[in-house]
Amino acid sequence: MDGRKPILSVRDLVVKFDLRGRTLTAIRGASLDLLEGETLAIVGESGSGKSVFTKTFIGMLDQNGRVDSGSIEFEGADLAGYATEAEWLRVRGRKISMVFQDPMTALNPLRSIGRQIQEVVEMHRGMSGRQAELAAIELLDHVGIPDPVRRFRQFPHEFSGGMRQRVVIAIAMACKPRILICDEPTTALDVTIQAQILRLIKALQSDFGFTTIYITHDLGVVANVADRVAVMYAGQIVETGSAEDVFYDPRHPYTWALLSSLPQLGVKGKPLFSISGTPPNLFNEIKGDAFAPRNPRALRIDFELQPPMFQVSPGHQAATWLLDPRAPALEPPAAIQAMRARYPGGER
Amino acid sequence: MAKYMLKRLAQSVVTLFIVVTAVFLLMRLLPVEGYLGERYDKLSPEQREAILQKMGLLDPWYVQIGSFYSKLAHGDLGTSAIYRKDVPVLQVIAPRVPYSVRFGLVAMALSLAAGLAMGVHMARYKGRFWDRTWTVYIVLINAVPSAVYLLFIQLYGTDLLKVPLLFDKYKFQSWVLPAISMSLGGIAGYAMWMRRFMVDELNKDYIKLARAKGMTSSAIMVRHVMRNAYVPMAQYLPAAILATVSGSIYIESLYSIPGMGGLLVDVIQRQDNPMVQALVLIFSSIGILGLFLGDVLMAAFDPRIKFAKSEGAR
Amino acid sequence: MADGKAVAAGPPAAVVAKGDAAAGADPALFTFAEFDRDAGERIGWSNYSYWRSTLHMFLRNRVALFLLVLLGTILAFTFLQPLLPNQRSPTLINIDPATGRQFRNLVPSAEYWFGTNSIGQDLWSRIWSGTRTSLLIGIIVGVVEMVLGIAFGAIWGYVRKADRVFTEVYNVLNNIPTTIVLMLLAYIMRPSFQTMVIAMCAAGWHGVARFVRNQIVIIRDREYNLASRCLGTPTHRIIMKNLLPYLVSVIMLQTALSIPGTIGWEVFLTYIGIGLPVSIPSLGNLVNEGRLIMMAPELRYQLIFPTIVVSIITISFYVLGNAFSDASDPRNHV
Ligand SMILES: Nc1ncnc2c1ncn2[C@@H]1O[C@H](COP(=O)(O)OP(=O)(O)OP(=O)(O)O)[C@@H](O)[C@H]1O
Ligand SMILES: [Mg+2]
């Protein structure tokens, strides 16, 4: 991974929503580099802003939301400055595609599968009629739909959940995007199908060579697919690093807590670890480290000042005062240490 | 699909049968003297008895219903008792059908065209100026009794257009106000539902995907939102037919249009039982037919229907 | 694994800039803070009360608030008016003591605020009396429809075996235009207050039943109620906390909306001549009396006064019903 260029760079992104006269800050200065050709997983608890964050890359925030400040650099342009639909249409669905969580509702129930794919092909590849139809059938075939010619004429209700997700992926692939964002693409599917879809995305990635952002709650999936991991909390990226770094040498207390709550790390006979408290109210201004009130071993400074990103090792950063030279030494919780002991680094 | 249609048709026929029977039995609750009309005072009790006997009104109800159905099968709805004494009911009604049909169709077309356009417009500018403006119209039409505002439209509209208060079939201008009046309710209804369905569609997940595909918002509006909103709209077509039917009763009478609605008001006021019965049957049949057509339309539009419907009512 | 280039790919600029900000920070800050378990909860989202939010949303709607006050005043006045001094009976025919003739068609004046009608009755007191009658019909019909509708709708929704029968019956009733049902029933029975109430209830109850049934089915099968039941929540608690708030709002809306409808039908039936007898002043009778003489522009006040009152009442009920249902929809709450 070393030396790869970032294909997309986000700096200090702030996203706000207006909700009934009040303002909610959903993304509070998040920074991230997405490297060409990698698979990056974004993890974090529900409401931490994973979806909102990635939606800004294709200009699909809800009506009441806006990018308040920060930049999103992609192909030499700053996406954060895009305002009109015309500008976004150059990127959205052409260069950056998105696959959503629930394939059951992602397709228009009243139009045939074929037409919904054909529509994209016509729009982005300038084909029409029969030619576009053939291209759509080929896409269906490519994502592993058996008997694509017949399936082309069918309607979404005639497809199973896994098949529909394949169709959605085919739509996302239609114009050979450079970045594919998958927002929990397998959460709504059952486990065996999940694995198939993950394999499909991997296979397509090696065929088409795009970069993938993978949003998920499932750390098992992360371990399977991700090259790098970004941990998100309360609208900020609190730790990024290679999958090995984040799993075996996590530095942020929130990452510790997140990993400790993995069932695999639980000790038999002891209650499973769970993070106490609730995520902060995003309507309020947050002072210091957003995780501090829930962190049993928070420092005083965590309540005063927001920690900067500290470099742990090249490619591995975490935003916590624990990494400041002045901070007292603190060993991670036992579960994390146990994990570290299993580090397979020696084999590589 | 064909099976669903047949089932739905059978249902409509059964409904029609029940309605016809119910109306007939209800009309039997009226005092039989009503059938004698103005003659009542001039006749001796024996004469009255004889006439009623001859009309079959003194038979037990099941005999009456039997003969009613056998006559109905031959297209005989009885004869008028008062309005145009002894003239067959159908003969009284026939010349009035074209007026009602013409007004009904024009009003339907008007309300469809204007209502859908208004609904689309509202959804497009949801929460903004035009949405609010049309909402005021819809609130007024729904809240203020139609009997009231239609009256004012007649009063001031005829003034404005410089046409006589009452309908004159030879004057084109005098077709305008009644037709518009009949469509006002339909326009409000269609606009309201169309807006609601479009907003519903706009909030669905597949719109997100369509946007993520890189479709322009106008393409999404036309190809996805509007098309999908038409499907539930089809359900409201019959409601609009019913509204037009109801509207026509009042409006035809207001403007003295020689149609069936105006006739119904006339014969109710003059208590001509056979005429009331016949017209009530006709209007109910139109209602039943309208609902049937609405379901057929919806089935034609929605590919899911053959699956969903066979599992029972939603 | 480490090499200089990779560092450049990260966000080091941010690191340095922010690190500086803390450079002068008090070293004492780099010690552990005591942990307060509840602090983690307090930072969360404020607790939410359904009814308070509903009220809050409703009070924000200025138009609805205004109409509520207006309607409240009118309703109060309607019932207070006969108790005020110097009010005439709405059915009294006023006679000029000098000439012995009726005070016909007097335009509004200090004596007769809304004028008199074609047989010398005081329009002012007739309008309030008529409003009383019409509202009474509206409220009785609204309540009866609601009781019938909820009773049948609940059975329809909860007893799965009854579903088919009810659905068929409903289909039959729903296939007949309401206008026709009303006209037929009002025609068959003798014109009276009871006739009006019966006819309108008969025409409207099945719609309410259908509505209640649909709500019950939707709510019954909602995941959160299933979940709640699985967690062992007692039924009465589910009903109180999950079903009732929703149903109450829906029912309020339906009742509020049925009142303008009822008034409208009353005007219509009166027009046809099968409404209330002329001896009972009602909004329908007043509008109809006004209609008969509307061709004389100087007498149009007899049409306009009752229609203004009708419109204010129906619009208020309609807007209030909708405002309340909007406010009570949790999706609109913050
Ligand atoms: N349109 C909106 N208006 C107001 N707030 C919003 C809106 N969309 C998102 N939010 C808020 O932004 C925050 C982040 O939401 P987001 O959907 O990105 O979370 P997430 O990490 O994707 O969660 P999940 O894992 O459940 O999908 C949440 O607190 C949410 O309430
Ligand atoms: Mg999400």
Side-chain angles (χ1 to χ4, degrees):
Chain A
M1 98 171 96
D2 305 335
R4 269 191 217 162
K5 283 235 165 51
I7 178 173
L8 182 99
S9 297
V10 187
R11 284 291 167 278
D12 300 319
L13 190 72
V14 176
V15 175
K16 297 192 169 176
F17 288 99
D18 294 320
L19 207 56
R20 309 214 160 251
R22 297 169 73 196
T23 305
L24 171 155
T25 312
I27 302 297
R28 303 180 309 115
S31 299
L32 182 75
D33 279 307
L34 181 65
L35 306 180
E36 175 104 53
E38 72 172 344
T39 298
L40 171 81
I42 302 182
V43 298
E45 69 197 301
S46 197
S48 56
K50 305 180 297 289
S51 302
V52 170
F53 185 53
T54 46
K55 276 189 207 166
T56 56
F57 306 165
I58 50 171
M60 278 194 40
L61 286 179
D62 295 327
Q63 294 263 303
N64 59 339
R66 66 199 137 88
V67 172
D68 188 70
S69 61
S71 64
I72 306 169
E73 209 180 297
F74 175 68
E75 294 191 339
D78 182 10
L79 301 187
Y82 280 10
T84 63
E85 185 172 52
E87 284 172 314
W88 278 115
L89 289 178
R90 292 202 294 261
V91 176
R92 192 193 288 162
R94 284 172 186 255
K95 303 259 172 70
I96 307 180
S97 284
M98 197 150 179
V99 171
F100 296 100
Q101 175 175 352
D102 189 359
M104 301 312 275
T105 54
L107 295 166
N108 185 340
L110 299 186
R111 310 190 70 202
S112 73
I113 295 288
R115 287 214 46 83
Q116 295 188 54
I117 303 176
Q118 201 179 333
E119 200 168 67
V120 206
V121 176
E122 284 172 1
M123 217 161 27
H124 294 317
R125 290 210 215 144
M127 298 180 184
S128 60
R130 183 80 191 133
Q131 198 189 8
E133 199 177 312
L134 288 176
I137 290 173
E138 193 190 310
L139 275 167
L140 276 180
D141 192 39
H142 207 138
V143 296
I145 303 277
D147 196 2
V149 178
R150 186 173 61 87
R151 289 296 194 163
F152 183 87
R153 313 230 164 271
Q154 289 186 335
F155 286 89
H157 66 260
E158 297 167 80
F159 279 53
S160 69
M163 299 249 274
R164 287 190 214 187
Q165 195 63 300
R166 283 169 192 269
V167 173
V168 173
I169 292 171
I171 288 174
M173 287 296 99
C175 53
K176 306 206 166 61
R178 294 193 65 199
I179 301 176
L180 177 71
I181 302 169
C182 302
D183 191 348
E184 309 190 29
T186 56
T187 312
L189 304 174
D190 70 56
V191 191
T192 47
I193 311 285
Q194 278 185 19
Q196 289 174 14
I197 296 288
L198 292 182
R199 241 176 283 139
L200 172 67
I201 294 174
K202 272 255 171 251
L204 290 171
Q205 194 170 10
S206 63
D207 290 355
F208 291 100
F210 49 82
T211 308
T212 310
I213 299 180
Y214 215 100
I215 298 177
T216 179
H217 288 283
D218 188 342
L219 294 175
V221 170
V222 177
N224 261 326
V225 302
D227 304 321
R228 284 202 318 135
V229 179
V231 181
M232 198 151 194
Y233 183 75
Q236 285 175 329
I237 305 283
V238 296
E239 180 157 6
T240 58
S242 68
E244 290 83 10
D245 287 341
V246 173
F247 274 108
Y248 298 107
D249 188 22
R251 294 307 178 98
H252 197 283
Y254 177 67
T255 318
W256 293 347
L258 200 65
L259 289 172
S260 303
S261 50
L262 273 178
Q264 294 92 313
L265 294 188
V267 178
K268 222 179 196 162
K270 284 200 181 166
L272 188 61
F273 176 83
S274 71
I275 307 177
S276 68
T278 61
N281 184 341
L282 297 173
F283 280 115
N284 299 338
E285 178 143 3
I286 297 172
K287 196 176 170 204
D289 183 342
F291 188 59
R294 300 169 73 187
N295 180 5
R297 284 177 287 182
L299 301 174
R300 281 184 208 288
I301 193 168
D302 282 336
F303 293 94
E304 301 293 331
L305 269 179
Q306 188 174 325
M309 267 287 179
F310 288 96
Q311 187 98 353
V312 180
S313 62
H316 183 188
Q317 294 128 14
T320 166
W321 284 117
L322 287 176
L323 293 173
D324 191 279
R326 288 163 291 183
L330 177 64
E331 282 301 311
I336 300 297
Q337 290 186 29
M339 185 89 174
R340 190 184 275 176
R342 283 189 267 166
Y343 181 56
E347 294 155 31
R348 289 187 308 146
Chain B
M1 185 76 170
K3 204 173 132 206
Y4 167 70
M5 298 278 200
L6 275 180
K7 212 177 116 198
R8 186 66 188 72
L9 184 66
Q11 199 187 351
S12 296
V13 173
V14 171
T15 307
L16 188 61
F17 175 75
I18 295 174
V19 170
V20 170
T21 312
V23 168
F24 183 81
L25 290 178
L26 279 175
M27 296 298 292
R28 289 320 101 189
L29 292 177
L30 285 169
V32 284
E33 288 77 13
Y35 289 87
L36 298 174
E38 289 118 33
R39 293 179 289 175
Y40 187 83
D41 292 330
K42 297 186 208 132
L43 300 170
S44 70
E46 293 76 33
Q47 283 172 307
R48 287 177 204 161
E49 187 109 336
I51 293 173
L52 290 175
Q53 189 77 54
K54 197 167 137 245
M55 289 170 79
L57 288 168
L58 298 181
D59 296 340
W61 63 270
Y62 47 87
V63 177
Q64 293 193 33
I65 231 178
S67 71
F68 170 69
Y69 270 114
S70 73
K71 278 190 194 161
L72 195 62
H74 296 100
D76 177 6
L77 273 170
T79 52
S80 166
I82 294 163
Y83 185 74
R84 279 176 57 193
K85 203 169 140 354
D86 294 335
V87 178
V89 168
L90 285 181
Q91 210 171 311
V92 181
I93 295 176
R96 296 174 168 257
V97 173
Y99 289 98
S100 290
V101 169
R102 244 174 270 169
F103 271 115
L105 289 181
V106 170
M108 286 283 299
L110 257 180
S111 35
L112 253 179
L116 292 183
M118 190 186 285
V120 171
H121 199 215
M122 288 173 81
R124 183 96 182 66
Y125 297 100
K126 181 174 170 257
R128 299 219 287 256
F129 176 77
W130 282 113
D131 187 20
R132 281 152 202 247
T133 310
W134 296 135
T135 302
V136 171
Y137 165 78
I138 292 175
V139 167
L140 286 181
I141 293 287
N142 280 332
V144 181
S146 57
V148 169
Y149 66 75
L150 292 176
L151 200 57
F152 277 86
I153 290 179
Q154 183 192 25
L155 186 57
Y156 293 104
T158 47
D159 247 15
L160 206 70
L161 291 183
K162 308 230 178 328
V163 289
L165 204 60
L166 299 182
F167 178 69
D168 176 354
K169 63 182 166 184
Y170 298 111
K171 271 218 176 86
F172 169 75
Q173 295 97 307
S174 83
W175 286 80
V176 175
L177 282 178
I180 291 179
S181 300
M182 275 183 215
S183 57
L184 288 179
I187 292 174
Y190 274 133
M192 190 169 77
W193 290 112
M194 188 66 189
R195 175 188 185 279
R196 182 167 308 172
F197 292 137
M198 282 185 65
V199 170
D200 280 357
E201 291 299 321
L202 274 172
N203 286 330
K204 290 202 174 145
D205 272 358
Y206 73 83
I207 298 294
K208 268 200 312 190
L209 182 69
R211 286 224 294 150
K213 279 195 229 179
M215 287 178 80
T216 60
S217 10
S218 48
I220 293 177
M221 271 287 175
V222 175
R223 283 200 234 162
H224 290 278
V225 178
M226 253 158 76
R227 277 180 55 126
N228 282 29
Y230 284 143
V231 174
M233 277 312 290
Q235 241 182 332
Y236 287 87
L237 193 66
I241 297 179
L242 299 194
T244 315
V245 167
S246 310
S248 76
I249 295 176
Y250 182 64
I251 292 164
E252 287 189 0
S253 164
L254 268 189
Y255 289 89
S256 292
I257 295 169
M260 291 191 290
L263 180 64
L264 178 56
V265 175
D266 278 352
V267 295
I268 281 182
Q269 281 167 352
R270 301 186 51 187
Q271 311 220 335
D272 186 335
N273 293 348
M275 289 291 298
V276 172
Q277 174 175 305
L279 283 167
V280 164
L281 289 182
I282 290 173
F283 278 115
S284 316
S285 314
I286 298 175
I288 293 171
L289 183 72
L291 284 180
F292 172 71
L293 286 180
D295 278 356
V296 170
L297 261 184
M298 194 149 99
F301 272 139
D302 190 342
R304 291 166 304 182
I305 209 112
K306 30 193 162 170
F307 295 84
K309 279 276 174 148
S310 56
E311 284 154 19
R314 278 152 298 151
Chain C
M1 181 155 132
D3 86 32
K5 270 190 220 148
V7 178
V15 175
V16 178
K18 281 195 196 150
D20 277 349
D26 182 356
L29 285 173
F30 287 93
T31 53
F32 292 114
E34 62 280 11
F35 178 56
D36 173 4
R37 185 159 276 277
D38 299 330
E41 301 287 350
R42 275 199 301 272
I43 54 168
W45 306 81
S46 59
N47 54 349
Y48 165 86
S49 149
Y50 173 78
W51 293 111
R52 203 180 24 180
S53 304
T54 300
L55 186 68
H56 185 73
M57 282 304 296
F58 187 82
L59 293 182
R60 274 162 90 129
N61 187 336
R62 297 273 169 72
V63 178
L65 219 51
F66 170 75
L67 289 178
L68 184 66
V69 174
L70 185 69
L71 191 62
T73 316
I74 291 184
L75 290 191
F77 189 75
T78 310
F79 289 94
L80 288 179
Q81 182 265 341
L83 307 177
L84 298 178
N86 296 330
Q87 300 294 324
R88 296 184 180 78
S89 155
T91 46
L92 174 75
I93 296 172
N94 294 289
I95 311 256
D96 186 342
T99 62
R101 287 167 61 187
Q102 297 163 351
F103 276 131
R104 281 186 199 167
N105 296 333
L106 294 184
V107 293
S109 63
E111 185 64 22
Y112 298 99
W113 291 354
F114 282 3
T116 61
N117 70 2
S118 54
I119 55 171
Q121 292 166 321
D122 178 23
L123 209 54
W124 165 259
S125 56
R126 281 181 74 74
I127 282 182
W128 295 115
S129 163
T131 307
R132 263 195 306 279
T133 315
S134 295
L135 276 178
L136 204 58
I137 296 179
I139 291 168
I140 294 177
V141 171
V143 170
V144 173
E145 274 181 358
M146 215 33 72
V147 170
L148 289 178
I150 291 175
F152 285 104
I155 302 175
W156 188 359
Y158 264 116
V159 185
R160 285 172 203 261
K161 280 193 203 120
D163 188 59
R164 256 202 89 81
V165 178
F166 271 99
T167 307
E168 293 305 327
V169 172
Y170 171 80
N171 281 342
V172 172
L173 291 178
N174 188 47
N175 269 321
I176 319 167
T178 314
T179 326
I180 297 294
V181 177
L182 274 175
M183 288 171 70
L184 189 62
L185 291 179
Y187 178 65
I188 288 167
M189 294 181 279
R190 203 173 294 284
S192 71
F193 190 87
Q194 290 92 314
T195 300
M196 290 304 267
V197 171
I198 295 173
M200 289 192 205
C201 291
W205 73 273
H206 63 275
V208 183
R210 165 82 185 189
F211 194 83
V212 172
R213 178 256 178 194
N214 282 351
Q215 298 306 325
I216 286 183
V217 169
I218 292 172
I219 293 169
R220 183 189 67 194
D221 299 342
R222 284 259 170 87
E223 273 93 354
Y224 58 76
N225 285 319
L226 285 178
S228 193
R229 207 166 299 148
C230 293
L231 290 173
T233 317
T235 312
H236 69 87
R237 210 182 138 78
I238 295 185
I239 293 178
M240 288 299 291
K241 287 278 170 187
N242 291 358
L243 297 194
L244 211 60
Y246 192 63
L247 266 184
V248 161
S249 59
V250 159
I251 288 166
M252 294 271 288
L253 167 75
Q254 285 285 303
T255 315
L257 291 188
S258 85
I259 289 175
T262 314
I263 293 178
W265 288 124
E266 197 253 326
V267 177
F268 174 68
L269 290 178
T270 307
Y271 166 81
I272 300 179
I274 48 179
L276 289 176
V278 272
S279 56
I280 306 176
S282 72
L283 291 176
N285 272 330
L286 288 167
V287 170
N288 204 38
E289 283 172 22
R291 184 185 63 86
L292 293 175
I293 49 156
M294 72 181 181
M295 288 324 294
E298 70 282 1
L299 296 184
R300 280 191 191 154
Y301 67 89
Q302 294 187 29
L303 174 62
I304 288 172
F305 284 130
T307 52
I308 289 176
V309 174
V310 171
S311 308
I312 291 178
I313 292 177
T314 52
I315 291 174
S316 303
F317 270 112
Y318 185 88
V319 173
L320 282 176
N322 280 310
F324 182 79
S325 92
D326 278 353
S328 67
D329 186 342
R331 276 171 300 184
N332 292 335
H333 295 174
V334 176

